[in-house]
């Protein structure tokens, strides 16, 4: 079964090529079929490989499919190959299955839009690039996938390019991640130069062999790669691009900007965790940065009025939790949270899309309201997603993974309890802002009438993802709920087993269980008293404006980076070096303008000048 | 033999040159311009002979023969050009022959 692995990225790529080359000639139904089926086939193969793996895993828990050699340079050979281990298997399953559901959803959501085939071509290309990213056996091939998803993100954010604001958002997301990618490329080159190979496993083996724990080179390499990961995952200080990326179609936000691409940074650190273990300073930086990200993004989400921006900030915050787990070395907890987050965040975005479809693309939560009865399916799926986001205990997937992270963080040496407190505060705010949206959108009076109807392509993904959000947490439960260890067992050969837990865990878990309920209670109280409705109607105060703009990072970067850069551009666009050259031509031209006035065609005047010149010459010869 | 001072012919040559120059600058008719040039050439010829006399050197007289030849050749060419110009412009006014000027000046 494993030898079919190459088909997994190849099938969406083929779909993208077909749709890209002759999509405009195909009818819409054929476009939808090709777009969805190409990912569906990949999902089917991925599931088969997964089942096969479950029945009989390879002895080393690694399967490498070498395809061909890409580059052979003195001292460096790059092979195009696919590398399957439990981590990439998990990622592959999530990407292909959720990808299929989102493609299915898109067939209805994008129906009748201009560029229907272009949309599916981009989306297929994205899935192919993302699969190449996670399956790459070589860091350089991974980087190709990395840039591929970046390009597709750019193309899809700016999908409705007729509106200049969407083009601006697309450019912003592209440029911010590109700045981070430059650091990542530098890190890859550093590893290539210092270790002589970029094939991930041999490279990590050589790193542990050659580099001391906490040395300069591993810290530098891990730090540079981390910057790339933070950029892609929209973590502090690169978080500014993600809320603007919501300009794209909602299924795109679900797939790229929630479930898959933005977790690429998490995957990168997990993939290279051996290298990160050599760089404890970088791990510390990760966890502190993650703590900051969680709180900044959660507070910003608390005051947004656009439903997609709330979800965007919640994505930043939830990926912050994954990075928090990475910072304390809880790799499998991060992967588990990635799994649950991918399911429930895709569900939330698709529900938001399903609502927007029926409300004439209204996204302001204060203009919605009372949708509980008119849109029951969207209500239940959004409620389940929000419960999972808020980590409502037992019933939601999010609570299991968040518990696991907070439990692991508590036991981190040194700053563990501080980070745990930040994470817990973040969980409180998360529960508040997610149920603020639930109450405002689905309860109270109706503000916008509901039109149209939704078909099976909308309902099937919502139902399946909602079921996933409820059930997927049971793959991995705390000891007092049965202690299933399916995800841990799968990931164990690569990532090792998590640290054992002491008696204090019960208290920690109790705190983690109570806090989300407390957050929901706060949300309900503030909703009942009409606080949010009044705050939205009133003139926002300075604090509110600061929070709404995501702590003014856009304005800060505008002053610190954009303005100086544009000033430099303004200075350079007139080509100062060129002035030296143009000075010569300008002087010649000026002399020409002066001298041409003497050309008057008057013979007598010429003779006079001739005479004057002769006299002057003679005078010079005689007297000088 | 009466020894002549070289001053008087030199002054005469200078006067002739100035007369010729003034004629060249002041007259518009090309016939007069040519004649003025002849006067100026004769002035230089006279100055050569005077200089030969002053230094007792025959080369001054040789130069004068050259100048005469030169003036004859120049006059032949000048008259041809003058006839062509008269055909072309139907006038002998030198100021009218200004077609080679810079257009904007």
């Amino acid at each position: 079964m494993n030898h079919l692995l190459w088909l997994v990225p190849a099938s969406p790529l083929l779909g993208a090529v077909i749709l890209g080359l002759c999509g405009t000639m195909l009818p819409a139904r054929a476009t939808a079929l090709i777009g969805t089926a190409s990912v569906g086939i990949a999902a089917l193969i991925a599931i088969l490989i997964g089942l096969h793996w479950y029945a009989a895993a390879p002895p080393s828990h690694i399967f490498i499919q070498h395809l061909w050699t890409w580059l052979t340079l003195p001292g460096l050979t790059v092979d195009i190959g696919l590398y399957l281990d439990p981590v990439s298997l998990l990622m592959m399953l999530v990407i292909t299955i959720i990808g299929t559901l989102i493609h299915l959803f898109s067939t209805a959501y994008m129906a009748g839009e201009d560029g229907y085939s272009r949309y599916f071509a981009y989306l297929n290309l994205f899935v192919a690039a993302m699969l190449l990213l996670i399956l790459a056996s070589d860091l350089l091939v991974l980087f190709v996938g990395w840039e591929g998803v970046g390009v597709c993100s750019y193309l899809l954010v700016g999908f409705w390019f007729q509106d200049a604001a969407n083009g601006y958002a697309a450019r912003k997301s592209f440029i911010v991640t590109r700045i981070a990618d430059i650091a990542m490329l530098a890190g890859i080159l550093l590893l290539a130069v210092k270790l002589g190979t970029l094939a991930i496993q041999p490279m990590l083996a050589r790193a542990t062999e050659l580099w001391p724990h906490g040395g300069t080179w591993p810290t530098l390499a891990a730090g540079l790669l981390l910057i790339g990961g933070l950029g892609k995952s929209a973590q502090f200080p690169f978080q500014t691009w993600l809320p603007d990326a919501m300009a794209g179609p909602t299924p795109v936000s679900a797939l790229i900007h929630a479930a898959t691409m933005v977790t690429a940074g998490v995957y990168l650190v997990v993939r290279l965790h051996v290298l990160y273990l050599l760089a404890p300073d970088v791990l510390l930086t990760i966890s502190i940065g993650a703590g900051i990200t969680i709180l900044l993004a959660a507070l910003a989400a608390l005051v947004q009025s656009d439903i997609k921006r709330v979800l965007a900030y919640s994505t930043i915050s939830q990926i912050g939790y994954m990075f928090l787990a990475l910072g304390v070395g809880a790799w499998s907890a991060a992967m588990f949270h990635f799994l649950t987050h991918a399911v429930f965040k895709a569900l939330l975005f698709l529900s938001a899309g399903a609502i927007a479809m029926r409300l004439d693309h209204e996204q302001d939560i204060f203009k919605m309201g009372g949708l509980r009865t008119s849109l029951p399916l969207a209500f239940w799926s959004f409620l389940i997603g929000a419960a999972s986001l808020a980590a409502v205990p037992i019933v939601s997937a999010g609570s299991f993974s968040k518990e696991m992270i907070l439990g692991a963080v508590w036991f981190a040496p040194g700053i563990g309890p501080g980070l745990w407190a930040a994470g817990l505060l973040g969980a409180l705010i998360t529960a508040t802002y997610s149920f603020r949206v639930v109450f405002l959108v689905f309860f109270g009076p109706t503000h916008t009438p509901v039109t149209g109807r939704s078909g099976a392509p909308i309902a099937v993904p919502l139902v399946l993802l909602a079921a996933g959000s409820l059930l997927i947490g049971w793959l991995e439960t705390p000891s007092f709920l049965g202690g299933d260890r399916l995800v841990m067992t799968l990931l164990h050969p690569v990532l090792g087993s998590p640290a054992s837990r002491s008696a204090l865990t019960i208290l920690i878990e109790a705190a983690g269980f109570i806090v989300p309920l407390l957050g929901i209670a706060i949300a309900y109280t503030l909703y009942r008293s009409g606080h949010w409705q009044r705050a939205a109607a009133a003139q926002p105060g300075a604090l509110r404006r600061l929070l709404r703009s995501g702590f003014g990072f856009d304005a800060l970067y505008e002053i610190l980076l954009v303005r100086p850069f544009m000033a430099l551009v303004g200075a350079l666009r007139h080509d100062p070096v060129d002035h030296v050259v143009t000075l010569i031509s300008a002087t010649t031209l000026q002399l020409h303008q002066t001298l041409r006035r003497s050309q008057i065609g008057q013979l007598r005047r010429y003779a006079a000048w001739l005479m004057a010149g002769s006299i002057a010459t003679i005078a010079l010869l005689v007297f000088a | 033999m009466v020894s002549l001072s070289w001053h008087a012919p030199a002054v005469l040559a200078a006067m002739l040159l100035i007369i010729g120059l003034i004629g060249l600058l002041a007259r518009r008719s090309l016939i007069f311009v040519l004649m003025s040039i002849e006067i100026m050439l004769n002035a230089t010829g006279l100055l050569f002979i005077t200089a030969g006399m002053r230094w007792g050197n025959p080369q001054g007289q040789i130069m004068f023969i050259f100048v005469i030849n030169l003036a004859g050749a120049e006059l032949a060419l000048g008259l041809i050009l003058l006839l062509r110009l008269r055909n072309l412009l139907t006038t002998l006014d030198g100021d009218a022959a200004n077609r080679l000027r810079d257009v904007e000046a």
Side-chain angles (χ1 to χ4, degrees):
Chain A
M1 206 61 234
N2 284 346
H3 59 274
L4 288 178
L5 184 60
W6 66 275
L7 273 172
V8 175
S11 167
L13 186 63
L14 184 68
V17 169
I18 293 173
L19 290 175
L21 289 181
C22 47
T24 49
M25 289 174 259
L26 295 170
R29 288 182 71 88
T31 302
L33 184 71
I34 293 172
T36 313
S38 62
V39 185
I41 289 168
L44 215 59
I45 297 168
I47 291 170
L48 287 174
I49 290 174
L51 290 174
H52 185 73
W53 191 283
Y54 186 72
S60 57
H61 291 272
I62 290 170
F63 172 74
I64 294 175
Q65 186 168 35
H66 178 258
L67 296 176
W68 67 84
T69 300
W70 181 18
L71 292 174
T72 312
L73 300 169
L76 181 70
T77 304
V78 179
D79 289 334
I80 305 252
L82 302 180
Y83 176 88
L84 191 67
D85 69 351
V87 177
S88 47
L89 178 66
L90 184 69
M91 294 286 293
M92 181 173 77
L93 285 168
V94 170
I95 289 161
T96 51
I97 294 172
I98 294 183
T100 310
L101 294 177
I102 289 170
H103 275 76
L104 183 62
F105 186 92
S106 302
T107 57
Y109 186 86
M110 299 299 289
E113 291 278 351
D114 286 338
Y116 192 65
S117 64
R118 182 164 62 91
Y119 173 83
F120 278 100
Y122 290 164
L123 214 56
N124 276 2
L125 187 64
F126 167 78
V127 174
M130 190 70 207
L131 288 167
L132 184 68
L133 192 168
I134 58 150
L135 290 173
S137 67
D138 195 288
L139 214 50
L140 208 57
V141 181
L142 184 148
F143 191 69
V144 172
W146 188 275
E147 295 298 315
V149 292
V151 170
C152 292
S153 165
Y154 164 76
L155 291 170
L156 285 164
V157 170
F159 181 74
W160 287 308
F161 56 84
Q162 290 88 347
D163 187 349
N166 295 342
Y168 175 79
R171 285 200 300 281
K172 183 174 172 185
S173 68
F174 194 69
I175 290 168
V176 172
T177 48
R178 205 69 21 212
I179 291 166
D181 287 349
I182 288 167
M184 180 172 168
L185 190 59
I188 291 176
L189 293 176
L190 177 69
L191 288 172
V193 169
K194 287 285 159 190
L195 299 176
T197 176
L198 285 173
I200 292 172
Q201 293 313 311
M203 183 192 81
L204 293 176
R206 293 206 65 182
T208 42
E209 199 179 297
L210 292 177
W211 284 343
H213 180 78
T216 312
W217 292 119
T219 307
L220 190 59
L224 286 170
L225 290 173
L226 175 69
I227 292 174
L230 291 179
K232 201 58 127 195
S233 291
Q235 296 294 290
F236 174 79
F238 295 103
Q239 80 282 32
T240 54
W241 68 267
L242 190 59
D244 286 324
M246 295 299 122
T250 306
V252 168
S253 310
L255 181 62
I256 301 183
H257 304 116
T260 55
M261 186 191 83
V262 286
T263 55
V266 179
Y267 175 75
L268 183 73
V269 178
V270 172
R271 180 88 293 170
L272 304 175
H273 70 278
V274 177
L275 177 66
Y276 280 85
L277 284 175
L278 293 176
D281 293 345
V282 177
L283 283 180
L284 186 68
T285 314
I286 292 179
S287 44
I288 293 172
I292 296 172
T293 309
I294 290 171
L295 292 176
L296 283 187
L299 284 171
L302 204 51
V303 294
Q304 302 300 319
S305 57
D306 184 319
I307 188 167
K308 286 184 72 180
R309 285 184 88 88
V310 176
L311 295 178
Y313 278 110
S314 80
T315 304
I316 298 171
S317 174
Q318 294 303 306
I319 296 172
Y321 278 103
M322 296 179 211
F323 270 100
L324 189 63
L326 297 177
V328 299
W331 321 114
S332 22
M335 287 309 292
F336 186 43
H337 195 57
F338 152 74
L339 172 66
T340 57
H341 173 258
V343 176
F344 73 69
K345 191 53 64 66
L347 174 67
L348 281 169
F349 267 113
L350 293 189
S351 311
I355 296 166
M357 267 178 88
R358 303 287 295 277
L359 292 184
D360 197 23
H361 291 275
E362 179 59 65
Q363 292 185 352
D364 189 338
I365 53 175
F366 292 101
K367 291 182 182 157
M368 301 175 182
L371 297 177
R372 180 168 41 107
T373 45
S374 47
L375 293 172
L377 177 69
F379 166 62
W380 283 108
S381 43
F382 197 92
L383 182 68
I384 290 166
S388 215
L389 174 61
V392 174
I394 318 289
V395 294
S396 69
S399 77
F400 294 103
S401 52
K402 205 174 275 181
E403 275 302 310
M404 195 191 261
I405 289 173
L406 290 178
V409 169
W410 172 266
F411 290 108
I415 55 167
L419 291 173
W420 177 80
L424 203 65
L425 183 60
L428 178 75
I429 305 169
T430 305
T432 310
Y433 72 68
S434 46
F435 274 83
R436 164 179 177 262
V437 175
V438 170
F439 290 132
L440 285 170
V441 170
F442 294 103
F443 293 85
T446 310
H447 294 297
T448 309
V450 177
T451 54
R453 56 189 308 272
S454 312
I458 302 291
V460 170
L462 287 181
V463 171
L464 288 178
L465 287 170
S469 296
L470 287 176
L471 300 176
I472 215 161
W474 294 94
L475 295 174
E476 184 73 32
T477 52
S479 47
F480 66 93
L481 282 173
D484 283 323
R485 279 274 181 272
L486 277 172
V487 176
M488 289 297 146
T489 320
L490 177 70
L491 298 177
H492 174 256
V494 187
L495 301 179
S497 52
S500 60
R501 300 177 174 190
S502 66
L504 204 74
T505 316
I506 297 300
L507 268 179
I508 303 294
E509 279 178 357
F513 277 0
I514 292 164
V515 156
L517 298 177
L518 193 64
I520 295 170
I522 293 172
Y524 185 70
T525 317
L526 289 176
Y527 170 72
R528 285 296 292 180
S529 64
H531 168 79
W532 278 316
Q533 295 88 323
R534 281 198 303 277
Q539 192 68 28
L543 179 68
R544 208 173 174 79
R545 281 203 306 273
L546 181 70
L547 287 179
R548 184 162 292 181
S549 65
F551 288 87
F553 274 96
D554 277 336
L556 184 69
Y557 291 163
E558 175 80 23
I559 293 167
L560 282 183
L561 302 170
V562 179
R563 291 235 187 103
F565 182 75
M566 292 314 283
L568 188 66
V569 169
L572 288 180
R573 79 186 308 162
H574 302 298
D575 217 347
V577 180
D578 202 37
H579 281 331
V580 180
V581 182
T582 44
L583 190 68
I584 295 170
S585 77
T587 312
T588 316
L589 213 62
Q590 192 54 48
L591 282 173
H592 157 77
Q593 291 295 356
T594 313
L595 284 179
R596 69 185 289 194
R597 292 202 203 108
S598 63
Q599 296 292 311
I600 51 164
Q602 290 294 337
L603 194 64
R604 295 184 296 152
R605 191 76 62 82
Y606 293 165
W609 279 110
L610 209 69
M611 218 56 224
S614 305
I615 290 167
T617 311
I618 292 166
L620 262 175
L621 288 175
V622 172
F623 296 110
Chain B
M1 191 174 140
V2 181
S3 172
L4 219 80
S5 164
W6 58 274
H7 294 288
V11 170
L12 179 63
M15 282 167 67
L16 276 173
L17 190 83
I18 289 165
I19 288 167
L21 183 64
I22 289 170
L24 177 69
L25 297 181
R27 299 305 293 241
R28 296 170 68 174
S29 171
L30 286 170
I31 291 285
F32 284 97
V33 168
L34 270 182
M35 286 168 67
S36 301
I37 291 171
E38 288 307 307
I39 292 172
M40 285 165 79
L41 277 170
N42 282 314
T44 45
L46 182 59
L47 197 61
F48 272 124
I49 291 174
T50 313
M53 181 187 79
R54 164 69 176 78
W55 281 286
N57 193 325
Q59 281 176 7
Q61 292 171 35
I62 295 169
M63 285 304 292
F64 177 67
I65 292 170
F66 271 128
V67 169
I68 294 244
N69 278 311
L70 192 79
E74 175 260 324
L75 197 64
L77 276 172
L79 280 172
I80 291 167
L81 286 174
L82 201 129
L83 282 172
R84 293 291 306 140
L85 214 63
R86 199 193 74 104
N87 282 346
L88 209 65
L89 299 176
T90 63
T91 173
L92 281 176
D93 185 355
D95 284 2
N98 60 358
R99 290 200 192 167
L100 277 176
R101 72 183 184 278
D102 192 298
V103 186
E104 287 171 42

